[in-house]
């Protein structure tokens, strides 16, 4: 077997992406180093799915925002149940729904939520930085905010019921995205105007790949702020709300 590694013609493109391209070859096989990188990426993706959210550490990181925190849970009682029955992750447990009803005193503009999703690692690492930029922007704009809900075993659809019970005009959910072989720490943000149970994905806007190697959290916060303003101006989200955020408006670095 040849021990000479033949580089791929796309080698120079690797500088612009974390995707697994231009792997090269040794004979007819992928080089050993690339095989090991693949196995490591696969292990990181599995860890991202199964690692539990450290809610106490997340609460400590979010404490400077001075928002009341609500600890909620979906109907999935375990990680195994969450993965095997996706619908259970889209609905609040009965105790969590009752807790929300106790904390609802009137309408609010935005329901802020953080859910573990399929990568609690992404939430743990990137949600605090995003919210520390976003919350002051929203407050300065005059938006009223609900208590910050931390939801375990959550899927995107749970934001509709949560925001509805909080009597919010807009649902804003930060959630860990499904990990891939080039990114196990990708955070997504979903926003829905006039949230209520039964909505489907075309009613939402999504900003994905929020991480230092993708869309940095601080830049994502400004993009979200723009979309929130547009959602309230036009009173809608989803396929009718286009992301026309001007790149020239990004904050200077």
């Amino acid at each position: 077997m040849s021990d000479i590694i033949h580089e791929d013609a796309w080698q120079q493109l690797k500088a612009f992406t974390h995707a697994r391209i231009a792997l090269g070859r040794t004979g007819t096989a992928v080089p050993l180093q690339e095989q090991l990188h693949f196995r490591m990426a696969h292990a990181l993706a599995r860890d991202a799915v199964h690692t539990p959210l450290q809610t106490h550490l997340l609460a400590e990181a979010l404490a400077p925002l001075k928002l009341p925190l609500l600890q909620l849970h979906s109907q999935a009682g375990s990680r195994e149940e969450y993965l095997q029955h996706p619908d259970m992750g889209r609905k609040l447990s009965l105790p969590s729904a009752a807790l929300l009803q106790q904390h609802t005193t009137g309408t609010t503009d935005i329901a802020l939520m953080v859910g573990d999703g399929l990568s609690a690692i992404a939430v743990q690492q990137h949600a605090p930085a995003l919210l520390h930029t976003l919350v002051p922007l929203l407050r300065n704009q005059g938006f009223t905010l609900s208590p910050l809900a931390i939801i375990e075993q959550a899927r995107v659809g749970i934001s509709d019921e949560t925001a509805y019970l909080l009597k919010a005009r807009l649902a804003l959910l930060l959630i860990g995205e499904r990990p891939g072989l080039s990114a196990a720490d990708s955070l997504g943000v979903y926003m829905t105007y006039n949230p209520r149970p039964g909505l489907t994905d075309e009613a939402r806007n999504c900003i994905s790949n929020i991480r230092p190697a993708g869309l940095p959290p601080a830049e994502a916060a400004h993009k979200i702020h723009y979309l929130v303003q547009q959602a309230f101006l036009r009173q809608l989200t989803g396929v009718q709300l286009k992301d026309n955020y001007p790149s020239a408006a990004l904050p200077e670095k």
Side-chain angles (χ1 to χ4, degrees):
M1 181 181 293
S2 172
D3 59 356
I4 298 175
I5 297 178
H6 300 275
E7 292 190 349
D8 192 283
W10 287 9
Q11 185 69 26
Q12 293 182 346
L13 297 179
K14 290 176 72 73
F16 303 100
T17 179
H18 290 270
R20 300 182 69 254
I21 65 169
L23 302 182
R25 63 181 176 83
T26 300
T28 60
V30 175
L32 176 60
Q33 183 178 20
E34 294 297 341
Q35 292 184 43
L36 294 175
H37 286 166
F38 174 85
R39 295 179 68 176
M40 175 61 76
H42 188 263
L44 291 173
R46 287 179 60 88
D47 285 348
V49 170
H50 292 283
T51 299
L53 184 64
Q54 302 294 318
T55 56
H56 64 288
L57 295 178
L58 182 60
E60 290 177 6
L62 297 175
L65 296 175
K66 300 187 183 303
L67 282 169
L69 294 180
L70 298 174
Q71 301 277 356
L72 306 178
H73 208 287
S74 75
Q75 291 183 2
S78 66
R79 198 61 174 172
E80 290 73 20
E81 196 169 41
Y82 171 84
L83 294 172
Q84 294 172 8
H85 303 280
D87 280 349
M88 300 186 75
R90 300 185 181 106
K91 300 175 183 177
L92 288 169
S93 66
L94 293 178
S96 292
L99 180 63
L100 286 183
Q101 291 173 338
Q102 295 174 10
H103 281 79
T104 302
T105 57
T107 58
T108 189
D109 289 327
I110 301 171
L112 286 176
M113 295 158 279
V114 177
D116 50 6
L118 287 165
S119 177
I121 293 172
V123 174
Q124 211 86 49
Q125 294 179 351
H126 310 316
L130 192 155
L131 287 172
H132 280 294
T133 301
L134 177 62
V135 169
L137 291 173
L138 297 175
R139 282 173 168 160
N140 290 339
Q141 199 72 32
F143 290 114
T144 57
L145 307 177
S146 72
L148 180 55
I150 299 176
I151 314 174
E152 295 182 78
Q153 312 297 1
R155 294 188 183 268
V156 172
I158 204 168
S159 63
D160 296 329
E161 180 185 7
T162 304
Y164 179 79
L165 291 175
L166 287 169
K167 298 183 180 179
R169 297 172 63 194
L170 183 133
L172 191 58
L173 172 69
L174 285 63
I175 193 167
E177 295 186 309
R178 184 186 305 275
L181 293 177
S182 59
D185 64 337
S186 181
L187 183 71
V189 173
Y190 292 80
M191 51 185 293
T192 312
Y193 191 84
N194 190 23
R196 57 197 183 278
L199 293 179
T200 49
D201 287 341
E202 86 282 351
R204 318 182 215 283
N205 285 80
C206 173
I207 300 173
S208 62
N209 197 32
I210 300 172
R211 57 193 181 97
L215 178 63
E219 292 186 16
H222 285 270
K223 181 185 284 284
I224 295 165
H225 179 232
Y226 166 81
L227 285 172
V228 167
Q229 293 180 84
Q230 292 300 307
F232 276 90
L233 178 65
R234 302 182 60 186
Q235 299 185 15
L236 54 82
T237 51
V239 295
Q240 298 183 70
L241 181 62
K242 304 304 179 184
D243 182 1
N244 296 318
Y245 182 62
S247 59
L250 287 174
E252 294 184 2
K253 296 182 179 179

PDB file of all heavy atoms in Angstrom, residues 73-78 80-93 152-155 158 161:
ATOM      1  N   HIS A  73     -39.654  22.227  31.625  1.00  0.00           N
ATOM      2  CA  HIS A  73     -39.313  20.911  31.076  1.00  0.00           C
ATOM      3  C   HIS A  73     -40.395  20.509  30.086  1.00  0.00           C
ATOM      4  O   HIS A  73     -41.570  20.836  30.260  1.00  0.00           O
ATOM      5  CB  HIS A  73     -39.220  19.869  32.195  1.00  0.00           C
ATOM      6  CG  HIS A  73     -38.300  18.735  31.898  1.00  0.00           C
ATOM      7  ND1 HIS A  73     -38.616  17.746  30.985  1.00  0.00           N
ATOM      8  CD2 HIS A  73     -37.074  18.421  32.376  1.00  0.00           C
ATOM      9  CE1 HIS A  73     -37.629  16.875  30.920  1.00  0.00           C
ATOM     10  NE2 HIS A  73     -36.667  17.256  31.759  1.00  0.00           N
ATOM     11  N   SER A  74     -39.976  19.818  29.046  1.00  0.00           N
ATOM     12  CA  SER A  74     -40.953  19.289  28.099  1.00  0.00           C
ATOM     13  C   SER A  74     -41.584  18.017  28.660  1.00  0.00           C
ATOM     14  O   SER A  74     -41.265  17.577  29.767  1.00  0.00           O
ATOM     15  CB  SER A  74     -40.275  18.989  26.757  1.00  0.00           C
ATOM     16  OG  SER A  74     -39.505  17.802  26.854  1.00  0.00           O
ATOM     17  N   GLN A  75     -42.446  17.412  27.874  1.00  0.00           N
ATOM     18  CA  GLN A  75     -43.090  16.172  28.306  1.00  0.00           C
ATOM     19  C   GLN A  75     -42.165  14.964  28.205  1.00  0.00           C
ATOM     20  O   GLN A  75     -42.510  13.884  28.684  1.00  0.00           O
ATOM     21  CB  GLN A  75     -44.358  15.932  27.488  1.00  0.00           C
ATOM     22  CG  GLN A  75     -45.470  16.924  27.792  1.00  0.00           C
ATOM     23  CD  GLN A  75     -46.752  16.633  27.041  1.00  0.00           C
ATOM     24  OE1 GLN A  75     -46.838  15.652  26.297  1.00  0.00           O
ATOM     25  NE2 GLN A  75     -47.767  17.473  27.221  1.00  0.00           N
ATOM     26  N   ALA A  76     -40.987  15.135  27.600  1.00  0.00           N
ATOM     27  CA  ALA A  76     -40.019  14.042  27.524  1.00  0.00           C
ATOM     28  C   ALA A  76     -39.328  13.896  28.872  1.00  0.00           C
ATOM     29  O   ALA A  76     -38.646  14.808  29.332  1.00  0.00           O
ATOM     30  CB  ALA A  76     -38.994  14.325  26.430  1.00  0.00           C
ATOM     31  N   GLY A  77     -39.488  12.757  29.499  1.00  0.00           N
ATOM     32  CA  GLY A  77     -38.953  12.570  30.833  1.00  0.00           C
ATOM     33  C   GLY A  77     -37.483  12.217  30.875  1.00  0.00           C
ATOM     34  O   GLY A  77     -36.856  12.290  31.932  1.00  0.00           O
ATOM     35  N   SER A  78     -36.913  11.829  29.734  1.00  0.00           N
ATOM     36  CA  SER A  78     -35.506  11.446  29.681  1.00  0.00           C
ATOM     37  C   SER A  78     -34.970  11.775  28.298  1.00  0.00           C
ATOM     38  O   SER A  78     -35.728  12.051  27.359  1.00  0.00           O
ATOM     39  CB  SER A  78     -35.337   9.950  29.958  1.00  0.00           C
ATOM     40  OG  SER A  78     -35.933   9.190  28.919  1.00  0.00           O
ATOM     41  N   GLU A  80     -33.541   9.667  26.280  1.00  0.00           N
ATOM     42  CA  GLU A  80     -33.949   8.593  25.388  1.00  0.00           C
ATOM     43  C   GLU A  80     -35.370   8.833  24.865  1.00  0.00           C
ATOM     44  O   GLU A  80     -35.647   8.662  23.671  1.00  0.00           O
ATOM     45  CB  GLU A  80     -33.875   7.248  26.116  1.00  0.00           C
ATOM     46  CG  GLU A  80     -32.462   6.765  26.406  1.00  0.00           C
ATOM     47  CD  GLU A  80     -31.777   7.562  27.522  1.00  0.00           C
ATOM     48  OE1 GLU A  80     -32.507   8.223  28.321  1.00  0.00           O
ATOM     49  OE2 GLU A  80     -30.539   7.549  27.584  1.00  0.00           O
ATOM     50  N   GLU A  81     -36.259   9.225  25.753  1.00  0.00           N
ATOM     51  CA  GLU A  81     -37.640   9.493  25.342  1.00  0.00           C
ATOM     52  C   GLU A  81     -37.689  10.698  24.404  1.00  0.00           C
ATOM     53  O   GLU A  81     -38.458  10.708  23.433  1.00  0.00           O
ATOM     54  CB  GLU A  81     -38.491   9.754  26.593  1.00  0.00           C
ATOM     55  CG  GLU A  81     -39.971   9.664  26.357  1.00  0.00           C
ATOM     56  CD  GLU A  81     -40.758   9.668  27.654  1.00  0.00           C
ATOM     57  OE1 GLU A  81     -40.406  10.442  28.572  1.00  0.00           O
ATOM     58  OE2 GLU A  81     -41.717   8.881  27.747  1.00  0.00           O
ATOM     59  N   TYR A  82     -36.868  11.687  24.678  1.00  0.00           N
ATOM     60  CA  TYR A  82     -36.788  12.886  23.831  1.00  0.00           C
ATOM     61  C   TYR A  82     -36.373  12.524  22.411  1.00  0.00           C
ATOM     62  O   TYR A  82     -36.940  13.024  21.431  1.00  0.00           O
ATOM     63  CB  TYR A  82     -35.780  13.855  24.459  1.00  0.00           C
ATOM     64  CG  TYR A  82     -35.416  15.040  23.605  1.00  0.00           C
ATOM     65  CD1 TYR A  82     -36.210  16.183  23.582  1.00  0.00           C
ATOM     66  CD2 TYR A  82     -34.253  15.033  22.831  1.00  0.00           C
ATOM     67  CE1 TYR A  82     -35.859  17.277  22.811  1.00  0.00           C
ATOM     68  CE2 TYR A  82     -33.895  16.120  22.066  1.00  0.00           C
ATOM     69  CZ  TYR A  82     -34.701  17.247  22.052  1.00  0.00           C
ATOM     70  OH  TYR A  82     -34.350  18.323  21.288  1.00  0.00           O
ATOM     71  N   LEU A  83     -35.366  11.661  22.277  1.00  0.00           N
ATOM     72  CA  LEU A  83     -34.858  11.293  20.959  1.00  0.00           C
ATOM     73  C   LEU A  83     -35.803  10.357  20.226  1.00  0.00           C
ATOM     74  O   LEU A  83     -35.937  10.429  18.995  1.00  0.00           O
ATOM     75  CB  LEU A  83     -33.482  10.641  21.098  1.00  0.00           C
ATOM     76  CG  LEU A  83     -32.355  11.555  21.612  1.00  0.00           C
ATOM     77  CD1 LEU A  83     -31.094  10.752  21.890  1.00  0.00           C
ATOM     78  CD2 LEU A  83     -32.071  12.685  20.623  1.00  0.00           C
ATOM     79  N   GLN A  84     -36.492   9.484  20.951  1.00  0.00           N
ATOM     80  CA  GLN A  84     -37.366   8.503  20.319  1.00  0.00           C
ATOM     81  C   GLN A  84     -38.756   9.053  20.017  1.00  0.00           C
ATOM     82  O   GLN A  84     -39.443   8.541  19.125  1.00  0.00           O
ATOM     83  CB  GLN A  84     -37.477   7.269  21.214  1.00  0.00           C
ATOM     84  CG  GLN A  84     -36.168   6.515  21.353  1.00  0.00           C
ATOM     85  CD  GLN A  84     -36.245   5.401  22.385  1.00  0.00           C
ATOM     86  OE1 GLN A  84     -37.324   5.095  22.893  1.00  0.00           O
ATOM     87  NE2 GLN A  84     -35.112   4.792  22.698  1.00  0.00           N
ATOM     88  N   HIS A  85     -39.191  10.082  20.739  1.00  0.00           N
ATOM     89  CA  HIS A  85     -40.539  10.634  20.565  1.00  0.00           C
ATOM     90  C   HIS A  85     -40.446  12.162  20.431  1.00  0.00           C
ATOM     91  O   HIS A  85     -40.665  12.896  21.406  1.00  0.00           O
ATOM     92  CB  HIS A  85     -41.430  10.252  21.748  1.00  0.00           C
ATOM     93  CG  HIS A  85     -41.538   8.779  21.971  1.00  0.00           C
ATOM     94  ND1 HIS A  85     -42.379   7.968  21.237  1.00  0.00           N
ATOM     95  CD2 HIS A  85     -40.894   7.958  22.847  1.00  0.00           C
ATOM     96  CE1 HIS A  85     -42.259   6.719  21.639  1.00  0.00           C
ATOM     97  NE2 HIS A  85     -41.369   6.687  22.614  1.00  0.00           N
ATOM     98  N   PRO A  86     -40.097  12.661  19.242  1.00  0.00           N
ATOM     99  CA  PRO A  86     -39.903  14.106  19.062  1.00  0.00           C
ATOM    100  C   PRO A  86     -41.079  14.966  19.497  1.00  0.00           C
ATOM    101  O   PRO A  86     -40.886  16.076  20.007  1.00  0.00           O
ATOM    102  CB  PRO A  86     -39.655  14.230  17.551  1.00  0.00           C
ATOM    103  CG  PRO A  86     -39.099  12.894  17.154  1.00  0.00           C
ATOM    104  CD  PRO A  86     -39.809  11.898  18.016  1.00  0.00           C
ATOM    105  N   ASP A  87     -42.310  14.477  19.324  1.00  0.00           N
ATOM    106  CA  ASP A  87     -43.475  15.287  19.684  1.00  0.00           C
ATOM    107  C   ASP A  87     -43.492  15.643  21.172  1.00  0.00           C
ATOM    108  O   ASP A  87     -44.024  16.701  21.554  1.00  0.00           O
ATOM    109  CB  ASP A  87     -44.767  14.558  19.319  1.00  0.00           C
ATOM    110  CG  ASP A  87     -45.096  14.681  17.838  1.00  0.00           C
ATOM    111  OD1 ASP A  87     -44.432  15.498  17.158  1.00  0.00           O
ATOM    112  OD2 ASP A  87     -45.978  13.961  17.349  1.00  0.00           O
ATOM    113  N   MET A  88     -42.922  14.794  22.011  1.00  0.00           N
ATOM    114  CA  MET A  88     -42.926  15.071  23.445  1.00  0.00           C
ATOM    115  C   MET A  88     -42.027  16.260  23.781  1.00  0.00           C
ATOM    116  O   MET A  88     -42.241  16.934  24.786  1.00  0.00           O
ATOM    117  CB  MET A  88     -42.485  13.826  24.221  1.00  0.00           C
ATOM    118  CG  MET A  88     -43.383  12.623  24.001  1.00  0.00           C
ATOM    119  SD  MET A  88     -42.955  11.202  25.039  1.00  0.00           S
ATOM    120  CE  MET A  88     -43.586  11.747  26.620  1.00  0.00           C
ATOM    121  N   GLY A  89     -41.045  16.528  22.930  1.00  0.00           N
ATOM    122  CA  GLY A  89     -40.190  17.676  23.137  1.00  0.00           C
ATOM    123  C   GLY A  89     -40.809  18.989  22.685  1.00  0.00           C
ATOM    124  O   GLY A  89     -40.267  20.064  22.960  1.00  0.00           O
ATOM    125  N   ARG A  90     -41.952  18.899  22.018  1.00  0.00           N
ATOM    126  CA  ARG A  90     -42.630  20.104  21.520  1.00  0.00           C
ATOM    127  C   ARG A  90     -43.736  20.577  22.451  1.00  0.00           C
ATOM    128  O   ARG A  90     -44.401  21.581  22.175  1.00  0.00           O
ATOM    129  CB  ARG A  90     -43.215  19.835  20.132  1.00  0.00           C
ATOM    130  CG  ARG A  90     -42.162  19.440  19.101  1.00  0.00           C
ATOM    131  CD  ARG A  90     -42.764  19.311  17.711  1.00  0.00           C
ATOM    132  NE  ARG A  90     -41.741  18.899  16.754  1.00  0.00           N
ATOM    133  CZ  ARG A  90     -41.633  17.680  16.229  1.00  0.00           C
ATOM    134  NH1 ARG A  90     -42.525  16.737  16.580  1.00  0.00           N
ATOM    135  NH2 ARG A  90     -40.677  17.383  15.390  1.00  0.00           N
ATOM    136  N   LYS A  91     -43.947  19.868  23.567  1.00  0.00           N
ATOM    137  CA  LYS A  91     -45.022  20.223  24.495  1.00  0.00           C
ATOM    138  C   LYS A  91     -44.473  20.332  25.901  1.00  0.00           C
ATOM    139  O   LYS A  91     -43.614  19.557  26.317  1.00  0.00           O
ATOM    140  CB  LYS A  91     -46.130  19.159  24.446  1.00  0.00           C
ATOM    141  CG  LYS A  91     -46.759  18.985  23.077  1.00  0.00           C
ATOM    142  CD  LYS A  91     -47.763  17.842  23.068  1.00  0.00           C
ATOM    143  CE  LYS A  91     -48.342  17.615  21.690  1.00  0.00           C
ATOM    144  NZ  LYS A  91     -49.274  16.453  21.668  1.00  0.00           N
ATOM    145  N   LEU A  92     -44.983  21.277  26.653  1.00  0.00           N
ATOM    146  CA  LEU A  92     -44.567  21.458  28.037  1.00  0.00           C
ATOM    147  C   LEU A  92     -45.153  20.370  28.928  1.00  0.00           C
ATOM    148  O   LEU A  92     -46.277  19.895  28.699  1.00  0.00           O
ATOM    149  CB  LEU A  92     -45.032  22.817  28.554  1.00  0.00           C
ATOM    150  CG  LEU A  92     -44.311  24.057  28.020  1.00  0.00           C
ATOM    151  CD1 LEU A  92     -45.081  25.307  28.421  1.00  0.00           C
ATOM    152  CD2 LEU A  92     -42.875  24.123  28.529  1.00  0.00           C
ATOM    153  N   SER A  93     -44.407  19.993  29.943  1.00  0.00           N
ATOM    154  CA  SER A  93     -44.967  19.110  30.962  1.00  0.00           C
ATOM    155  C   SER A  93     -46.082  19.854  31.692  1.00  0.00           C
ATOM    156  O   SER A  93     -46.119  21.099  31.702  1.00  0.00           O
ATOM    157  CB  SER A  93     -43.880  18.687  31.944  1.00  0.00           C
ATOM    158  OG  SER A  93     -43.425  19.814  32.690  1.00  0.00           O
ATOM    159  N   GLU A 152     -35.668  22.311  29.355  1.00  0.00           N
ATOM    160  CA  GLU A 152     -34.917  21.088  29.116  1.00  0.00           C
ATOM    161  C   GLU A 152     -35.710  20.123  28.237  1.00  0.00           C
ATOM    162  O   GLU A 152     -36.929  20.096  28.271  1.00  0.00           O
ATOM    163  CB  GLU A 152     -34.578  20.417  30.446  1.00  0.00           C
ATOM    164  CG  GLU A 152     -33.626  21.245  31.314  1.00  0.00           C
ATOM    165  CD  GLU A 152     -33.271  20.530  32.603  1.00  0.00           C
ATOM    166  OE1 GLU A 152     -32.417  19.616  32.559  1.00  0.00           O
ATOM    167  OE2 GLU A 152     -33.865  20.884  33.645  1.00  0.00           O
ATOM    168  N   GLN A 153     -34.983  19.333  27.461  1.00  0.00           N
ATOM    169  CA  GLN A 153     -35.546  18.376  26.504  1.00  0.00           C
ATOM    170  C   GLN A 153     -36.506  19.099  25.554  1.00  0.00           C
ATOM    171  O   GLN A 153     -37.642  18.677  25.340  1.00  0.00           O
ATOM    172  CB  GLN A 153     -36.260  17.216  27.224  1.00  0.00           C
ATOM    173  CG  GLN A 153     -35.484  16.576  28.336  1.00  0.00           C
ATOM    174  CD  GLN A 153     -34.189  15.896  27.877  1.00  0.00           C
ATOM    175  OE1 GLN A 153     -33.843  15.913  26.708  1.00  0.00           O
ATOM    176  NE2 GLN A 153     -33.469  15.304  28.819  1.00  0.00           N
ATOM    177  N   ALA A 154     -36.023  20.195  24.991  1.00  0.00           N
ATOM    178  CA  ALA A 154     -36.885  21.074  24.190  1.00  0.00           C
ATOM    179  C   ALA A 154     -36.651  20.886  22.694  1.00  0.00           C
ATOM    180  O   ALA A 154     -35.518  20.674  22.248  1.00  0.00           O
ATOM    181  CB  ALA A 154     -36.631  22.531  24.568  1.00  0.00           C
ATOM    182  N   ARG A 155     -37.715  20.989  21.952  1.00  0.00           N
ATOM    183  CA  ARG A 155     -37.659  21.132  20.502  1.00  0.00           C
ATOM    184  C   ARG A 155     -38.303  22.466  20.126  1.00  0.00           C
ATOM    185  O   ARG A 155     -38.945  23.109  20.949  1.00  0.00           O
ATOM    186  CB  ARG A 155     -38.338  19.955  19.805  1.00  0.00           C
ATOM    187  CG  ARG A 155     -37.582  18.638  20.029  1.00  0.00           C
ATOM    188  CD  ARG A 155     -38.124  17.501  19.187  1.00  0.00           C
ATOM    189  NE  ARG A 155     -37.418  16.254  19.474  1.00  0.00           N
ATOM    190  CZ  ARG A 155     -36.344  15.834  18.809  1.00  0.00           C
ATOM    191  NH1 ARG A 155     -35.843  16.570  17.828  1.00  0.00           N
ATOM    192  NH2 ARG A 155     -35.763  14.684  19.122  1.00  0.00           N
ATOM    193  N   ILE A 158     -41.914  23.872  21.036  1.00  0.00           N
ATOM    194  CA  ILE A 158     -42.309  24.170  22.418  1.00  0.00           C
ATOM    195  C   ILE A 158     -42.356  25.669  22.667  1.00  0.00           C
ATOM    196  O   ILE A 158     -43.019  26.126  23.606  1.00  0.00           O
ATOM    197  CB  ILE A 158     -41.347  23.482  23.411  1.00  0.00           C
ATOM    198  CG1 ILE A 158     -42.048  23.264  24.764  1.00  0.00           C
ATOM    199  CG2 ILE A 158     -40.048  24.268  23.583  1.00  0.00           C
ATOM    200  CD1 ILE A 158     -41.272  22.325  25.694  1.00  0.00           C
ATOM    201  N   GLU A 161     -46.151  27.143  22.548  1.00  0.00           N
ATOM    202  CA  GLU A 161     -46.971  26.990  23.751  1.00  0.00           C
ATOM    203  C   GLU A 161     -46.445  27.862  24.885  1.00  0.00           C
ATOM    204  O   GLU A 161     -47.221  28.510  25.597  1.00  0.00           O
ATOM    205  CB  GLU A 161     -46.994  25.530  24.193  1.00  0.00           C
ATOM    206  CG  GLU A 161     -47.837  25.279  25.446  1.00  0.00           C
ATOM    207  CD  GLU A 161     -47.760  23.848  25.937  1.00  0.00           C
ATOM    208  OE1 GLU A 161     -46.960  23.060  25.397  1.00  0.00           O
ATOM    209  OE2 GLU A 161     -48.511  23.521  26.879  1.00  0.00           O
TER     210      GLU A 161
END
